Amino acid sequence: MTIFTIIIFMSDVCNAQETEQKNKFVSHKDIHFTVRINLKFPDNNSNILETVDYDSTYYDQAILKLPNNYSENGTPIRLVYMAHGAGGGVTDSSWFLNKFSLKDSLLENGYAYFDVNGGPSVENMGGSWSVQSAYKAYEYIRQHYNVYDKIFVCGFSMGGSSSTNFVYKHSNVVLAHAMYSPVLDLYGQAWKNPWYKTTRQSIATTYNFIDKTGKTWEADKLVGWNPLFINNYKTLRNTFKVYPVPVKIWHGLYDSVVKFKGSKKFHEYIQNTGGYSELREIDSKDHGLSGGNAFMNRELLLFFKRFDK
């Protein structure tokens, strides 16, 4: 008989709802749970000798899917963090990326995957809230399911920022990174070319701008969080980027929603240091490629398998 169990934790992770059948998980079912994150931005500008940081608790939505070959006691399976775009995220009963076949190809090849909403807004912009949430979801899954410690990471559209910032902050758990039509320059690709009326305001909120209206760009708030400009070293002729894991990007050359230029620079900067970066320049203007297609999804699997057991 199928039962639903709710596991409540008072620490970082709580409220995990799982579908089980005699210790064997029913395949391809959405496993929804929440993780506790802190929405408070630390005040590091204060010079008073008292506590100015505190915990603003928020329970973020997360989702996990397991493949048919999952077993609680057998060989562990590989986990993939799939960072969604601005078109939709994770709720307590749905997941935007369920609309796309890329998830099915991963399941069919024995990969489990997860995603998080990344804070109160679907437009999480790859900020500290989304990185907090993704790491805590990863830790919960690692502790409660039979998965390998090392994971793969994927980013789709806006999820390019979420996934890249996760890799920068937690590269010790990442084998390789893949992205479809990614946002890698929060100024050039998002602020200057917003895809929604809410995009600039979302950036301002996510990165704790003084002006939360989205009318003023505050570059100092993005230091260490704007993917294209992290770990860069410049000379008179070139820019060099140190990236901690192998990465592959697919992007339409004429994409008008998320400009290709950011992906090209990201790739070139890594190559300038002799790092491992692949870029597939696709003859297309369709930003819908951020959800993949049969050809891209096949290449994604082949890319992952080069770094898997």
Side-chain angles (χ1 to χ4, degrees), residues 31-292:
I31 301 168
H32 288 271
F33 59 102
T34 61
V35 291
R36 185 176 69 83
I37 63 174
N38 184 1
L39 295 184
K40 175 68 170 63
F41 294 99
D43 180 4
N44 295 317
N45 295 316
S46 175
N47 59 10
I48 61 175
L49 187 58
E50 60 183 64
T51 301
V52 294
D53 195 6
Y54 62 88
D55 191 6
S56 177
T57 297
Y58 179 80
Y59 292 98
D60 196 43
Q61 296 294 333
I63 184 172
L64 168 68
K65 280 199 172 185
L66 300 169
N68 285 333
N69 64 320
Y70 176 78
S71 169
E72 288 186 338
N73 302 308
T75 302
I77 58 173
R78 189 67 69 190
L79 183 64
V80 183
Y81 167 36
M82 299 177 68
H84 65 82
V90 183
T91 73
D92 60 359
S93 60
S94 66
W95 183 40
F96 179 71
L97 290 180
N98 270 333
K99 296 169 56 177
F100 302 100
S101 61
L102 66 94
K103 64 178 179 49
D104 298 322
S105 60
L106 289 172
L107 285 171
E108 290 165 3
N109 284 271
Y111 292 87
Y113 53 80
F114 76 98
D115 189 15
V116 295
N117 203 54
S121 172
V122 167
E123 283 187 283
N124 62 55
M125 297 298 170
S128 63
W129 297 339
S130 66
V131 173
Q132 272 190 76
S133 185
Y135 186 74
K136 290 183 177 183
Y138 155 75
E139 281 290 348
Y140 172 75
I141 295 165
R142 186 178 65 85
Q143 292 168 14
H144 293 87
Y145 294 88
N146 187 20
V147 298
Y148 289 113
D149 290 346
K150 294 277 190 174
I151 68 173
F152 290 113
V153 174
C154 291
F156 310 99
S157 190
M158 180 198 72
S161 293
S162 310
S163 60
T164 304
N165 283 333
F166 181 91
V167 170
Y168 274 126
K169 272 61 178 180
H170 300 290
S171 60
N172 60 305
V173 304
V174 180
L175 289 170
H177 182 201
M179 293 182 279
Y180 290 177
S181 311
V183 175
L184 295 168
D185 179 1
L186 287 165
Y187 181 69
Q189 291 175 307
W191 187 269
K192 291 182 68 176
N193 189 49
W195 45 83
Y196 297 138
K197 292 180 179 179
T198 56
T199 298
R200 289 183 175 179
Q201 188 175 1
S202 293
I203 294 173
T205 300
T206 299
Y207 290 98
N208 197 31
F209 284 12
I210 295 170
D211 180 3
K212 300 294 195 297
T213 66
K215 295 180 180 178
T216 308
W217 174 254
E218 299 177 24
D220 60 306
K221 297 299 181 72
L222 272 293
V223 173
W225 289 95
N226 197 357
L228 184 59
F229 303 101
I230 301 173
N231 283 6
N232 287 5
Y233 303 89
K234 290 187 177 182
T235 66
L236 292 176
R237 299 181 62 181
N238 289 309
T239 298
F240 302 84
K241 175 180 289 294
V242 176
Y243 201 64
V245 301
V247 63
K248 183 165 185 172
I249 302 170
W250 293 257
H251 206 139
L253 283 167
Y254 314 109
D255 188 334
S256 62
V257 178
V258 177
K259 302 293 187 180
F260 170 75
K261 188 176 181 180
S263 289
K264 184 174 179 62
K265 286 183 176 180
F266 193 86
H267 166 71
E268 290 178 348
Y269 293 172
I270 294 171
Q271 286 207 318
N272 286 344
T273 64
Y276 191 113
S277 178
E278 298 181 34
L279 176 62
R280 279 272 278 121
E281 303 179 7
I282 300 173
D283 186 14
S284 174
K285 63 180 180 180
D286 183 15
H287 186 65
L289 292 176
S290 61

